[in-house]
Amino acid sequence: MRIDLNCDMGESFGVYRIGEDDKIIPYITSANIACGYHAGDPMVMATTVVLARQHRVAVGAHPGYPDLMGYGRRSLETFPGEIKNYLLYQIGALGAVAKSVGVSLQHVKPHGALYNLSADDERAASELIEAIKGYDPELILVTLAGSRCAQMAIDAGLRVAREAFPDRAYLQGGRLAPRTLPGAVIHDRDTVRERAMELAARGKISTLDGNEITLEVDTLCIHGDTPGAWELAAAVREALETAGIQVLAMGQSGHGEG
Amino acid sequence: MRIDLNCDMGESFGVYRIGEDDKIIPYITSANIACGYHAGDPMVMATTVVLARQHRVAVGAHPGYPDLMGYGRRSLETFPGEIKNYLLYQIGALGAVAKSVGVSLQHVKPHGALYNLSADDERAASELIEAIKGYDPELILVTLAGSRCAQMAIDAGLRVAREAFPDRAYLQGGRLAPRTLPGAVIHDRDTVRERAMELAARGKISTLDGNEITLEVDTLCIHGDTPGAWELAAAVREALETAGIQVLAMGQSGHGEG
Amino acid sequence: MRIDLNCDMGESFGVYRIGEDDKIIPYITSANIACGYHAGDPMVMATTVVLARQHRVAVGAHPGYPDLMGYGRRSLETFPGEIKNYLLYQIGALGAVAKSVGVSLQHVKPHGALYNLSADDERAASELIEAIKGYDPELILVTLAGSRCAQMAIDAGLRVAREAFPDRAYLQGGRLAPRTLPGAVIHDRDTVRERAMELAARGKISTLDGNEITLEVDTLCIHGDTPGAWELAAAVREALETAGIQVLAMGQSGHGEG
Amino acid sequence: MRIDLNCDMGESFGVYRIGEDDKIIPYITSANIACGYHAGDPMVMATTVVLARQHRVAVGAHPGYPDLMGYGRRSLETFPGEIKNYLLYQIGALGAVAKSVGVSLQHVKPHGALYNLSADDERAASELIEAIKGYDPELILVTLAGSRCAQMAIDAGLRVAREAFPDRAYLQGGRLAPRTLPGAVIHDRDTVRERAMELAARGKISTLDGNEITLEVDTLCIHGDTPGAWELAAAVREALETAGIQVLAMGQSGHGEG
């Protein structure tokens, strides 16, 4: 049994700092690096790739909408081709910065509102898949476990890492409970750690209404933008390793094979 | 004898249109494509690369300062590493968009104030050279013929295309006359065509004070942002070919070999 | 009988030019000036206000979403308060530029996707109304004739100018036909001129399905971003004046009184 | 004897937080609020004005270059009129947001590289003065004590608040020591407090080379972007009040009269 731990990184911009990337990176295996549209800038990207390299953490692109003011969390209408080319632009930009310090990209994980949209919207998912195939068909697509996008990407021959969120409540169908629902975000550290274990070891997660669903997952998302997030990451990792689960980057682990 | 004709392209942004790319492209051999910082956006970039491909015109990155409002023409102070990473970001972004439609980059030509600065400023030139080496050391650097940057890039082992401007007046040392000097920009079409010939056939150009200087050049810049620019491009190309000079993309022509 | 003719202006940005403002301005009575979010920049704003002043054309703010790449035409999710503060920001910015050249604002007309949303969405309309009341309750709000927003603004005590579009097809309820419907945009100049006359003289307009509806209007929108738009503006104005309809800025005309 | 204490505020942007505005505001009398070009956004501006109002702290505009990535700290070439219109745009934007919550602007203080440039560059200072006169000639201009700009503004009939920096080292002529000089920034809290006292009580300050110069000042700048900055603000304020110096907003204090 093995699992990847991914975390969003490099979301600072100019003088603005977000996240404690240097504290959390020892505990994760894959870093999703912002690409300058919703967060990040070329200097932050370079610094973050080097940080990941130092910790032997695999690097992926974390592209989003061109909406720095809204941090890529707001829905933005797009016309055909825009998502594809926004993604190519950002993946290529990070790929170049990474290549200049000797690092290759492992994966692509869309950010925020684009993550949510592409999970289920076929047009968005198609453009995401086309972007990855157009740039480098070996890159792993990280998307919501059980989503339409996951199936479409597998059908298209892409490597896919199915992602779950131990700190988010789930609904019956395997969808994330909307943040507006009470209990949608789980703050208790022990609970999060236990849910991470459930997901990694048993491929099961309990839903908001008390049932249990099956969810095959390749990677768990660790949120890094709360103070003390690194302690949670450390706790999750320790629990996983203590239980004999290998914590490995998705590209190394044999996961992500579609 | 051979020469490349390059033109800045893809400088539209969103609904904003600049240049008559589709009219001028039949007459040039290399297209410098804006990369979203001073001009251009992912959709425009994709469209422009496809246009170049259709006309078998080689494609290069035309990165600039992050200053859309000033079109990259204004000096902007930068701190160490910023130029390098701004360039990597933009070159990579275009490279990805191009790759997705089956096109490889041939060259990099900095835009506007960054072009001017990097021609002679050693720190800027170094970062430009590092960016290209970090991304793809086979890319050709387009820089001002006779500049410090040209020599530095050759010393660093890069392929270099030395550029001249038939529609700009030159000073004694081989520098461009500042635009504020009377006569700095040459508008007469016949004169521009003759100067293009002088440069391509004889490697000579007359200066503003009436002397003649030697200027070894690999590529001539055709400005595309004036109405009717394509007619000038057509005239220049016809004159060159009539005189038996091969008009070939810098990457094909054996130029750009440093 | 009287009517205002309004046109979007000042939508250039940096070196990018859109519209033939100087050609169309002699024929209109109110200029809606972009405020730097979806189009326009401080220099363009200053130039456009001066142009309007020279032609004794009244000036209004034309604020939009912060989406230059999408020209404010794309829907963007907003959180409570964002529309209000985006509008205040832009109206104030234009108000200051205008004041510095001795011009006061007459009206506010939201742009693009924000115009469409605010016409019928109560939260957006409320924030629009609050923004105007918070900045200057004497400003006239320009909104779609017959819209929910028009009624809400009147109820809130604002001056309202009800707007119609002679070059757009209407549906039964008085809504604009979506641009995706065949015939939604009317290109024939004579037809547009006749529809302008119908609207101004009779307060009637025929719908896409061949009926006629009543539409009380205070101002007609003249689109300025197509080549030759000024000729249409001239034709509409001449037809109106020939028919004895006064063409006056909404603030002068006794319209806009709610 | 009286003095104003000013602090830069509202420099957050979107989800990005900078400064501890709510902790420092009880100790200052004038808040310089960023206007969306180098920092700040409409929501942050609204929140910050309300915060200032709650604490009865006077509000001023803190406009900068359009360079969010560089936080307005980098020199940017501008063409004639650009500084003036950039300033009008930003001052008006903040003025509108403030007006909507019942607050009037007291002053304008340019930010970062624009502050430094306008202190001594006559063209920049002229455009700054014109912007204020064009928007509201009653606004107080905050500029470096002893600068060319201070004199020009007084000559132009503007109200001026001469500013000094207790945590920055001075050179003989009254200029700030460049940050690159050792000792240019003073970190020791007791030293800063003493220098604030020297400036407020005696109009004197010791220079980097050990001399003492006279510097008439109306307002002291408290830097807010370091952790614990509010403790320094509290210490400075207490020392001033203990010494019988009135700490009053520049607009109330009879300062700023030119």
Side-chain angles (χ1 to χ4, degrees), chain A residues 10 195 227:
Chain A
R195 290 170 69 84

Side-chain angles (χ1 to χ4, degrees), chain B residues 60-244:
Chain B
H62 195 42
Y65 284 126
D67 177 24
L68 188 67
M69 205 188 281
Y71 204 54
R73 288 182 175 158
R74 308 189 291 193
S75 295
L76 175 70
E77 188 182 359
T78 53
F79 299 109
E82 289 185 338
I83 289 176
K84 178 184 171 182
N85 285 311
Y86 291 173
L87 290 168
L88 281 164
Y89 184 95
Q90 295 177 75
I91 299 167
L94 180 68
V97 170
K99 193 177 177 199
S100 77
V101 293
V103 171
S104 296
L105 300 189
Q106 171 196 245
H107 67 283
V108 173
K109 172 180 166 178
H111 167 83
L114 190 52
Y115 181 91
N116 295 333
L117 179 74
S118 62
D120 287 313
D121 180 87
E122 296 209 351
R123 200 264 287 172
S126 290
E127 296 203 12
L128 169 56
I129 291 165
E130 282 171 43
I132 294 175
K133 294 188 88 164
Y135 179 70
D136 177 358
E138 292 305 307
L139 291 187
I140 300 169
L141 167 58
V142 178
T143 186
L144 190 65
S147 66
R148 178 83 187 101
C149 180
Q151 192 55 53
M152 287 172 66
I154 290 167
D155 293 348
L158 279 191
R159 300 165 76 194
V160 173
R162 296 156 298 181
E163 183 179 37
F165 297 82
D167 65 350
R168 292 291 302 278
Y170 278 83
L171 302 178
Q172 266 298 45
R175 287 294 164 281
L176 294 174
R179 284 173 183 273
T180 45
L181 271 192
V185 180
I186 299 160
H187 298 288
D188 179 65
R189 200 162 288 172
D190 291 341
T191 309
V192 175
R193 194 186 54 213
E194 278 161 34
R195 290 169 69 85
M197 286 295 295
E198 275 189 282
L199 286 160
R202 303 177 48 234
K204 305 276 184 190
I205 193 79
S206 54
T207 61
L208 204 54
D209 61 2
N211 289 305
E212 192 177 77
I213 57 172
T214 297
L215 212 58
E216 287 184 78
V217 300
D218 305 305
T219 183
L220 300 178
C221 182
I222 304 294
H223 284 116
D225 48 6
T226 45
W230 68 271
E231 294 169 294
L232 178 55
V236 166
R237 177 148 189 170
E238 195 197 355
L240 292 167
E241 292 183 334
T242 301

Side-chain angles (χ1 to χ4, degrees), chain A residues 35 37 42 88-89 96 99-100 135, chain B residues 35 37 42 88-89 96 99 135:
Chain A
C35 303
Y37 261 38
L88 281 164
Y89 185 96
K99 191 175 179 202
S100 78
Y135 180 71
Chain B
C35 303
Y37 261 39
L88 281 164
Y89 184 95
K99 193 177 177 199
Y135 179 70

Side-chain angles (χ1 to χ4, degrees), chain D residues 118-120 125 128-129 141 143-144 147-154 160:
Chain D
S118 62
D120 286 313
L128 169 56
I129 291 165
L141 168 57
T143 185
L144 190 66
S147 67
R148 178 82 188 102
C149 181
Q151 192 55 52
M152 286 172 66
I154 291 166
V160 173

Side-chain angles (χ1 to χ4, degrees), chain A residues 16, chain C residues 85, chain D residues 7-14 16-26 28-36 39-62 94 97-105 107:
Chain A
Y16 295 105
Chain C
N85 285 310
Chain D
C7 185
D8 300 348
M9 300 231 143
E11 297 190 308
S12 294
F13 181 85
Y16 295 106
R17 305 287 97 188
I18 277 195
E20 303 182 296
D21 291 4
D22 52 338
K23 288 194 183 151
I24 210 165
I25 204 157
I28 64 167
T29 44
S30 293
N32 319 309
I33 299 181
C35 302
D41 67 40
M43 294 300 276
V44 169
M45 288 158 68
T47 303
T48 310
V49 171
V50 169
L51 179 71
R53 189 187 62 188
Q54 288 166 342
H55 289 268
R56 300 175 186 279
V57 165
V59 160
H62 195 43
L94 180 68
V97 170
K99 193 176 177 202
S100 78
V101 293
V103 171
S104 295
L105 300 189
H107 68 282

